[in-house]
Amino acid sequence: MAGELATAVLLPGGVVIVEAAHARSGRSSYPVGILLLAAASLPGTRSIVLGVGDLQCLDGGLGMLQAMAGRPDEPGEIDLEWLRALRLQWRGRSITAAVSEVLPLLGFHGAAARAQETLGLDSAESQLLENALGVYLDHTRRALPSHKDLLTGKERRLDREPGAGAGGGVAFAMALMGAVLRPGVDVSAELAGLDQQITEADLIVIGEDVFDWRSLQGTVLARVGEVSARYGKPVVVLSREAHVGRRESASLGVSGVYSVIPAGRLQTDVQQDAVIGEATEPAQAVAGLAGRVAGTWTPG
């Protein structure tokens, strides 16, 4: 499905994969709801996987729910009784939210707190958004009372589910509609048949824009290294910048790390050294790096 909003990938078996960030949502998640409706309407759709990662919205997924219900985009809407009918409408659909982060909706590690880093908000703005999300949560709980866990008998709080705060709370809103929240790395590995792909390979090469401490946990690169180590397969990382030492990369099962920008230097320094008109495009630089590595790399 190609258009102004996004591209959806239809896999065998009727699995439709869409990325929420492609919906170009601003402070409202309304475009994400339109994207979900479009994915659900594709012929042959049996289940939907929505990637929930980098979004600027911090509305707890309210805009998305309004779009799914055919309602206008109304930030701060108070009466959410229509959520009951919407959940019934989507009941029985298989939906997975592949979250990039496992943060909860509220709290010191929640969506608003995370926005201070990702959106550059100050503490006052973050607190205002936290309060607004708290009020919104109260409204959703009045419209859709929480269920009890069948094993423990305790109330199941969807806002505290790992990943509920992903996408500014879009994942929480999806959970309200019955979606399962799962780490995106796990979902990607399963859909790609990662284990089988690695067992059939002699060498695994993976690209990373910036290979730093953020690459070490909960990332595709970390999962590839983990699975490759399990099967005794060497892994080579090609990156634009690399700031991870040999010991840390070896702990991931990585045999070699190669970067376009020499280790210990920053991109700005390299750009200053480059002669205007002769600077290589990033894609060309990485392609050249791959060629050099292919001609010289041997198993250690």
Side-chain angles (χ1 to χ4, degrees):
M1 178 189 71
E4 294 183 358
L5 288 176
T7 298
V9 178
L10 179 60
L11 298 180
V15 179
V16 176
I17 304 174
V18 286
E19 173 56 56
H22 291 174
R24 303 175 187 173
S25 58
R27 289 303 175 98
S28 170
S29 59
Y30 199 87
V32 180
I34 298 176
L35 176 61
L36 273 176
L37 289 173
S41 67
L42 286 175
T45 298
R46 301 185 63 181
S47 62
I48 299 174
V49 176
L50 179 69
V52 183
D54 296 330
L55 294 172
Q56 294 184 347
C57 57
L58 269 166
D59 63 353
L62 174 60
M64 179 190 75
L65 295 172
Q66 290 168 333
M68 292 168 67
R71 301 175 65 84
D73 187 0
E74 185 180 338
E77 184 177 10
I78 296 175
D79 185 3
L80 303 181
E81 293 301 319
W82 50 269
L83 286 177
R84 297 181 185 179
L86 181 62
R87 183 157 70 176
L88 286 174
Q89 179 183 344
W90 283 75
R91 177 177 290 179
R93 295 177 183 265
S94 175
I95 310 175
T96 299
V99 300
S100 61
E101 299 175 293
V102 293
L103 64 161
L105 181 64
L106 302 175
F108 291 114
H109 303 287
R114 183 75 174 91
Q116 286 189 249
E117 177 183 345
T118 57
L119 301 182
L121 304 181
D122 59 35
S123 57
E125 292 173 316
S126 175
Q127 188 58 56
L128 286 174
L129 288 168
E130 174 82 3
N131 295 340
L133 285 174
V135 172
Y136 162 69
L137 175 61
D138 290 339
H139 294 324
T140 63
R141 296 186 69 187
R142 279 195 287 270
L144 296 173
S146 301
H147 296 293
K148 289 187 177 181
D149 187 281
L150 296 178
L151 295 178
T152 64
K154 296 181 180 180
E155 179 185 19
R156 186 187 175 200
R157 294 286 300 272
L158 295 179
D159 58 297
R160 296 177 182 173
E161 291 284 314
V170 162
F172 164 72
M174 292 189 67
L176 287 177
M177 295 298 103
V180 177
L181 308 187
R182 297 187 60 201
V185 173
D186 294 347
V187 176
S188 298
E190 290 180 8
L191 292 175
L194 183 62
D195 282 54
Q196 181 177 350
Q197 296 287 342
I198 288 178
T199 57
E200 295 175 352
D202 295 320
L203 171 67
I204 292 85
V205 180
I206 184 168
E208 185 87 334
D209 181 34
V210 178
F211 184 39
D212 59 12
W213 61 270
R214 288 168 293 191
S215 308
L216 302 180
Q217 289 185 333
T219 64
V220 172
L221 190 153
R223 175 59 60 85
V224 169
E226 173 191 335
V227 177
S228 300
R230 188 189 311 154
Y231 294 107
K233 305 289 185 174
V235 178
V236 168
V237 174
L238 304 180
S239 64
R240 180 172 54 84
E241 296 182 46
H243 306 289
V244 176
R246 183 183 299 272
R247 179 179 300 177
E248 290 81 3
S249 60
S251 69
L252 290 180
V254 174
S255 304
V257 178
Y258 302 88
S259 60
V260 173
I261 298 176
R265 304 196 66 188
L266 300 177
Q267 182 179 15
T268 52
D269 297 331
V270 174
Q271 288 174 336
Q272 289 175 357
D273 292 344
V275 178
I276 297 177
E278 295 182 3
T280 305
E281 291 293 327
Q284 295 175 334
V286 173
L289 175 66
R292 292 194 298 275
V293 173
T296 61
W297 186 87
T298 57

